[in-house]
Each structure stands twice: as structure tokens, then as C-alpha cells.
Amino acid sequence: MLELNDEAIAELRKIDQFDFDIFKLRRATRDNELVTIVPYVLARHGLIGACAIELNCLFNFVKTLQSGYKNITYHNKTHAADVCQTFNYFATNGGIKDVTKMDNMETMSCLIAASMHDYEHPGVNNMFLVNISDSMAVKYNDRSVLENHHIAASFSVMYSDPQCNWTRKMSRDEFKRVRHMIIETVLTTDMTKHFLELGLLSSRLENENFNPADSKDKELLIKIMFHLSDISNPVKDWRLCKLWTELLFVEFFAQGDMEKMHGLEVSQLCCRTTTNVAKTQIGFIDFIITPSFNTAIRVFPKIAHVRDNCEKNKEHWAGLFDEYQKEQDSGNKFLHIVDQYIMKETKASRRSTLTQGEKKSKQPQQRNVNLTGHQRRTSKNLGGQDEGVKVDLVLRMEDSESSQR
């Protein structure tokens, strides 16, 4: 049972918008954005029944993942929820499902993969783990260390607890398909594979036999769009773009500090005293984001609007060179992020009120969004009316409203 207040429900109704603000959902759900958004999006697509998902187990699984994401600034549960929402947008309004003929199992696998894709991320990159001979690097032979860990650790949650095994009603062949898609999509988030995968797509686009609905071309497209969902911050609304970027660099600079402590060469972008964040984003947009999305747009023209945001954000960054030079000169401490974001959200997490079926009397405007299809009544302070809201009912209301516009 997900207990959602009116604010959270209002935010979820914006789930198909490209400028969806995951931070607002995080606040509205009192730090439970991941375990809220994953079941909701799956229910919205009708995938819980269609894919034989054990709903209570899915809830337990995502709740466990959510608690396993570390309290770091970027590679956290909020980012995982954001990737889930972004891929959902690309799959629906962006045309992935229509163009590639994605079936239910493939769509579901990608949405759940988003919740898993950075599970237990330590806030440092693969190269750092390799350089310090971390146990994860040893275990995975220095190859896609974090990505392999995210996958293996997430599946271990499912395997080790029957109450988290949301696939137990699936056939063996169905499970093999789901596991394959999750593994492939998450492994593609390793940035060292970026140019290889993009090059493969560019080559395929020049081939007269290219068919986005063909199994191999489809899988390549899905993997690339999942990867682009993961690095989509530069094409989002400016406020979100800037916030996510600064949160990322808090992690980068912390890694640089640790590299100095270990006597290692400081990685690119991780040195507090030599990195102008605004300038780095111009390069990231020019060499990574723009070529990637331009290639994707050739297949999915409905996402062409992201180029406008990207260009606007590039102009914003260009106008902030001096401001970020001052940050660099002061050691890039980003105290405004640490003070205003991390501490505030940490306090919010302590007030978390996520329960499975428990009613919180101190939240009079709370509604019960029950994904199992059963309604419950709220307290009399809502006028004694049945204010229970099922996910499918909420969605029918939205569909009805859309058809009347």
C-alpha cells in the first residue's frame, strides 16, 4: 500500500511530461520517490498484470533497493527515479514503443532496470575502484565494475528473499528475457561504452537493412535510449539541469579529494582547484550530448525538442563562466548545495512516513493509492466520503480528461 497525499498525486499526474520534477515528487512523498514512481509507471502502462508481476513482491523489492541507495548527492534513489521517469517519457511520448514495437516485457524490464541501475553506488567511478584495488574491481575483473555490481546486487535482493521475488509468476523463458534486457540496459550505462554503442547505431543507420523493429536493431536502440535517459540532465529544464550538475560535481570533487589521499593522480573533472564546472558542461554538451541526441532523433523525431533545451542550457553555462571561476578559486566547495540540499533532504528522510497499509493520523489530506485494486476509506476529516484512489481509477480519470480537451 502506498499512502500518498494530494501533493504527491498531483505530481504523479505530470508523469508523462518531459519537464517532470523528480525533486518535487521526492518532497511530496517524503523521500519515497523511487518506491512510488516504479509501481505507478508500471500500473499506468498496464504492465503489472500483463507481465505477471507479483505486486507485493515488487513493492518490497523496490523498497529494499530504495533503502540500499546511499545518501550521496547524485547517484542516489532520486536519480534512479528520474531515469525511470525519463525513459518512460522517451518510450511513450518520445516514440520508442511505436518505432521499435517494444512489447510489454521489454518496456517493463527497462522501467525496473532504471530502479536498479545505480543500486549501492559508492559515489566514485570505476577507475577509482580499479586504482585502489577495491574488492568490487577484483570481483568483476576491472570491467564495468559498478554496472556489474548494480545488477548483481539488485538480483541478489530478489533471489535472497522470496518476498522480493516479483518474477516468481513468470515462466522460465519470460524470466530469461527480462533478466537479459535488464543486464544489457544497465551495462550500457558504463560511459566507456558510449562511443562504441553510438558508433554501432550510426553504422546501422547507414545500412539499408536497418529495421528498428528487428530484434538486434531494436535492442541496440533501447539500450542507447536507456543510456541517454541516464545522462539526460543537459537536455532538461535549466533549473533541473543546473541542480543535477552541481550535485554530480559534489561527488566528483569528493572523489578527487580521496584520490589525493591515496596518492593517486586526480581524475579529469574531479580536481576542485582546476575545474570550472560551467566550461566542462559546454564540452560535455558539444562532444557527448548533442551528437548522441542528434543520432537518436534520426530514429525518434518526436524527441527533437530536446535540442532546444540543450542549446538554451549551453547559453546559460556560457554566461556563468565567471561565477564558476569564483567557485573554482574558492575550492569548489559548493556549500550552497551541501547546506540547502543535502541537510534538508536528510532531515526529510528522517520524517519518512512510507508504510505498507498503516494510516498516519497526522496526515489528514492523505489518500491511499492501492496498486492491488482494493480501496480503503480515509478518515472522517475528508467529509466521510470514500476518498480511496486506485491507480487504475486515477489513470482512467486522466484519460477521460485528456479525451475531453
Side-chain angles (χ1 to χ4, degrees):
M1 174 70 68
L2 290 175
E3 297 185 351
L4 303 177
N5 56 32
D6 289 340
E7 182 184 1
I9 292 174
E11 291 304 319
L12 285 172
R13 291 187 183 212
K14 306 172 186 175
I15 200 75
D16 291 330
Q17 299 178 11
F18 189 63
D19 60 354
F20 182 85
D21 189 338
I22 194 64
F23 296 101
K24 289 183 178 179
L25 183 65
R26 176 175 178 167
R27 289 189 291 271
T29 59
R30 297 181 183 271
D31 229 22
N32 291 294
E33 65 279 18
L34 185 59
V35 77
T36 298
I37 204 168
V38 174
Y40 185 87
V41 172
L42 291 173
R44 184 173 182 78
H45 288 288
L47 297 175
I48 292 174
C51 297
I53 294 175
E54 185 70 42
L55 182 57
N56 289 332
C57 293
L58 174 70
F59 183 90
N60 293 335
F61 173 75
V62 181
K63 186 180 178 183
T64 302
L65 293 187
Q66 179 175 271
S67 65
Y69 273 91
K70 300 183 185 300
N71 188 26
I72 53 182
T73 55
Y74 186 87
H75 293 97
N76 52 34
K77 59 187 176 58
T78 310
H79 169 64
D82 188 55
V83 173
C84 180
Q85 188 278 329
T86 302
F87 187 84
N88 168 69
Y89 175 86
F90 286 148
T92 53
N93 293 347
I96 300 177
K97 290 182 68 175
D98 291 338
V99 173
T100 67
K101 310 303 179 187
M102 279 181 76
D103 62 27
N104 288 333
M105 282 294 185
E106 291 165 335
T107 305
M108 175 272 293
S109 299
C110 290
L111 294 171
I112 293 181
S115 72
M116 302 163 64
H117 88 280
D118 274 332
Y119 179 57
E120 294 187 338
H121 198 294
V124 294
N125 63 23
N126 286 330
M127 188 53 63
F128 177 82
L129 296 175
V130 171
N131 287 339
I132 66 170
S133 299
D134 184 86
S135 59
M136 275 196 286
V138 174
K139 182 176 183 179
Y140 297 112
N141 300 313
D142 298 347
R143 297 178 181 176
S144 299
V145 176
L146 286 169
E147 292 74 23
N148 275 302
H149 176 75
H150 303 323
I151 298 165
S154 296
F155 274 109
S156 292
V157 169
M158 190 178 74
Y159 292 145
S160 63
D161 184 355
Q163 296 305 311
C164 291
N165 187 2
W166 49 273
T167 68
R168 62 188 183 185
K169 288 185 177 180
M170 295 180 186
S171 68
R172 182 173 303 226
D173 287 342
E174 288 172 336
F175 174 73
K176 288 175 65 176
R177 282 192 68 205
V178 169
R179 180 168 162 79
H180 171 80
M181 181 59 70
I182 290 175
I183 290 172
E184 291 301 312
T185 51
V186 176
L187 286 178
T188 307
T189 63
D190 182 348
M191 280 300 298
T192 64
K193 297 183 177 182
H194 173 84
F195 291 106
L196 173 62
E197 298 288 347
L198 192 63
L200 286 174
L201 177 57
S202 297
S203 177
R204 288 298 301 152
L205 288 175
E206 301 305 321
N207 192 307
E208 61 181 12
N209 295 323
F210 174 74
N211 179 3
D214 175 74
S215 58
K216 290 185 177 180
D217 287 335
K218 175 199 283 193
E219 183 170 307
L220 177 61
L221 287 167
I222 291 173
K223 291 193 301 181
I224 286 178
M225 292 310 297
F226 189 89
H227 169 53
L228 294 185
S229 299
D230 187 32
I231 61 172
S232 63
N233 302 330
V235 300
K236 296 290 184 71
D237 174 79
W238 166 244
R239 186 183 66 82
L240 294 173
C241 170
K242 183 173 183 288
L243 175 56
W244 276 121
T245 300
E246 292 189 337
L247 292 171
L248 176 61
F249 272 87
V250 170
E251 284 188 21
F252 281 178
F253 294 142
Q255 175 177 318
D257 294 343
M258 287 188 282
E259 287 170 329
K260 291 177 182 178
M261 290 173 56
H262 283 275
L264 301 172
E265 181 180 351
V266 177
S267 299
Q268 186 179 15
L269 306 181
C270 293
C271 182
R272 294 182 183 277
T273 58
T274 62
T275 303
N276 182 306
V277 172
K279 291 181 179 179
T280 68
Q281 293 311 290
I282 299 295
F284 186 58
I285 289 172
D286 283 344
F287 295 104
I288 301 293
I289 297 300
T290 297
S292 301
F293 276 95
N294 281 344
T295 301
I297 289 167
R298 293 176 61 184
V299 186
F300 308 112
K302 288 184 178 180
I303 67 171
H305 64 89
V306 304
R307 286 188 291 211
D308 295 333
N309 271 0
C310 195
E311 287 304 310
K312 290 177 182 177
N313 290 340
K314 185 177 174 181
E315 292 175 5
H316 280 301
W317 287 122
L320 292 175
F321 285 175
D322 291 342
E323 178 180 325
Y324 281 95
Q325 186 61 48
K326 293 178 182 178
E327 287 281 357
Q328 177 184 333
D329 294 341
S330 65
N332 273 317
K333 296 177 182 178
F334 280 9
L335 294 179
H336 60 292
I337 288 290
V338 175
D339 291 342
Q340 297 176 22
Y341 178 81
I342 301 175
M343 295 306 296
K344 179 176 67 175
E345 297 299 339
T346 300
K347 290 177 181 178
S349 68
R350 292 171 183 165
R351 298 193 301 268
S352 172
T353 59
L354 180 70
T355 64
Q356 291 189 29
E358 295 181 16
K359 292 183 67 175
K360 299 297 183 180
S361 60
K362 293 183 180 180
Q363 297 178 26
Q365 296 301 316
Q366 188 165 275
R367 295 182 181 182
N368 295 319
V369 178
N370 187 340
L371 296 175
T372 63
H374 303 291
Q375 294 189 10
R376 294 178 56 197
R377 291 184 179 272
T378 55
S379 55
K380 293 182 179 179
N381 52 29
L382 287 172
Q385 299 178 352
D386 189 353
E387 292 287 338
V389 183
K390 293 189 299 182
V391 165
D392 59 349
L393 179 58
V394 171
L395 301 180
R396 286 179 195 149
M397 291 167 58
E398 292 174 343
D399 292 341
S400 176
E401 292 171 0
S402 298
S403 64
Q404 294 175 10
R405 291 191 185 110

